[in-house]
Amino acid sequence: MNWRCCRHVFDLSHRVLVMGIVNVTPDSFSDGGRFVDPDAAVAHALKLAEEGADILDLGGVSTRPGAAPVTAEEEWRRLRPVFERLGRNGRLCLSVDTSSSVVAELALRSGACVVNDVTALRGDARMVEVAAQQGAGVVLMHMRGTPATMQHDPSYEDVAREIREFLGERLAFARAHGVSEDRLAVDPGLGFGKTAEHNLELLARLDELSPLGRPVVVGASRKSFIGKVLDLPIEERLEGSLAAAAAAVLAGARVVRA
């Protein structure tokens, strides 16, 4: 495990960091299939690092709206050759984007130091134990439902308040089960069980997560709410993604996932 990166990722006094996305999947919404080949995934990861990414977030299963789950065995089959090569590079800060404790444990043993869990430790009862025992950093994300169901008419009375309360409860759960406070970060989950209007309101009210006292991670890159606002396809959402990232940083985000 590369312990160096955890200190940087979760230090509230640190500069804003960039988390580069490496999707080792055939069906991710933005780049599905481009990096299924391990050589392509490794080359992409190294290119992101060269361009300034502070953290490389490797995922082996799509969490796009409507995505079907895959087994932990298949997820790790996709990720293993990439972690085996990148994990030997002591200069890289690696994160694993998974809700499987099996995959998380294998990734942490292969050089990762952060678990980015879209279920906020709810999807696998053993995940919090793995994170605590390994001393891993954990990103707790808000999601309504599952990737397969999350966009089925999501509704909130007060989206920012409800998400702040949810993340506060998940932080308390993680701490109570042995995950150190300084290893925790939160993500409001733009696009995960939210309408375009919800996502825009969350960006505008992102500073309301500051009372949680932990770094805020935001991933808006090329998501559908940007396409809806600008009436643009995925491949033409760069400017909108940059604007969303800038708005998030101005409102207090510490890590931008892109």
Side-chain angles (χ1 to χ4, degrees):
M1 182 185 293
N2 182 349
W3 298 99
R4 174 184 62 85
C5 68
C6 279
R7 293 196 301 274
H8 294 308
V9 172
F10 304 111
D11 183 352
L12 280 166
S13 66
H14 202 274
R15 63 180 175 82
V16 174
L17 302 179
V18 175
M19 176 182 275
I21 302 168
V22 183
N23 288 322
V24 191
T25 59
D27 56 348
S28 291
F29 84 96
S30 179
D31 55 6
R34 290 181 60 195
F35 308 116
V36 169
D37 178 75
D39 289 339
V42 169
H44 179 57
L46 293 175
K47 183 173 183 289
L48 290 173
E50 279 183 24
E51 292 174 347
D54 301 283
I55 313 151
L56 299 174
D57 193 35
L58 281 60
V61 58
S62 175
T63 52
R64 62 177 173 78
V70 302
T71 64
E73 291 76 15
E74 172 61 17
E75 188 178 350
W76 183 241
R77 185 195 67 78
R78 298 171 181 177
L79 289 170
R80 178 178 179 177
V82 183
F83 270 106
E84 284 181 344
R85 290 167 64 180
L86 295 177
R88 293 194 296 264
N89 188 329
R91 296 179 295 110
L92 299 176
C93 179
L94 303 179
S95 167
V96 60
D97 181 3
T98 187
S99 56
S100 163
S101 65
V102 171
V103 173
E105 189 166 25
L106 290 167
L108 291 166
R109 291 176 178 175
S110 301
C113 78
V114 176
V115 176
N116 183 13
D117 185 358
V118 299
T119 74
L121 305 177
R122 295 175 301 157
D124 184 327
R126 187 170 168 266
M127 182 69 93
V128 69
E129 175 187 339
V130 168
Q133 288 180 348
Q134 296 289 329
V138 181
V139 179
L140 302 167
M141 196 195 79
H142 176 275
M143 174 174 59
R144 196 48 88 72
T146 68
T149 65
M150 63 188 180
Q151 291 307 110
H152 294 177
D153 193 29
S155 62
Y156 302 85
E157 291 185 7
D158 185 326
V159 65
R161 176 182 57 78
E162 291 174 49
I163 288 173
R164 182 178 67 249
E165 291 174 352
F166 168 86
L167 293 173
E169 183 275 325
R170 299 318 295 165
L171 284 169
F173 172 85
R175 290 192 297 264
H177 288 80
V179 182
S180 299
E181 175 81 12
D182 62 357
R183 292 285 189 257
L184 292 166
V186 296
D187 183 341
L190 298 180
F192 285 79
K194 286 105 181 159
T195 65
E197 290 75 15
H198 291 145
N199 293 317
L200 293 170
E201 184 173 353
L202 277 172
L203 275 176
R205 299 173 61 189
L206 197 65
D207 61 338
E208 294 182 31
L209 298 183
S210 61
L212 296 173
R214 301 309 306 146
V216 175
V217 181
V218 170
S221 185
R222 302 183 188 274
K223 288 188 174 176
S224 60
F225 78 95
I226 295 172
K228 183 173 181 179
V229 170
L230 300 178
D231 192 24
L232 290 173
I234 291 173
E235 63 273 12
E236 296 179 22
R237 296 175 188 170
L238 175 60
E239 292 84 357
S241 298
L242 292 171
V249 169
L250 289 171
R254 290 287 179 163
V255 182
V256 174
R257 186 175 184 272

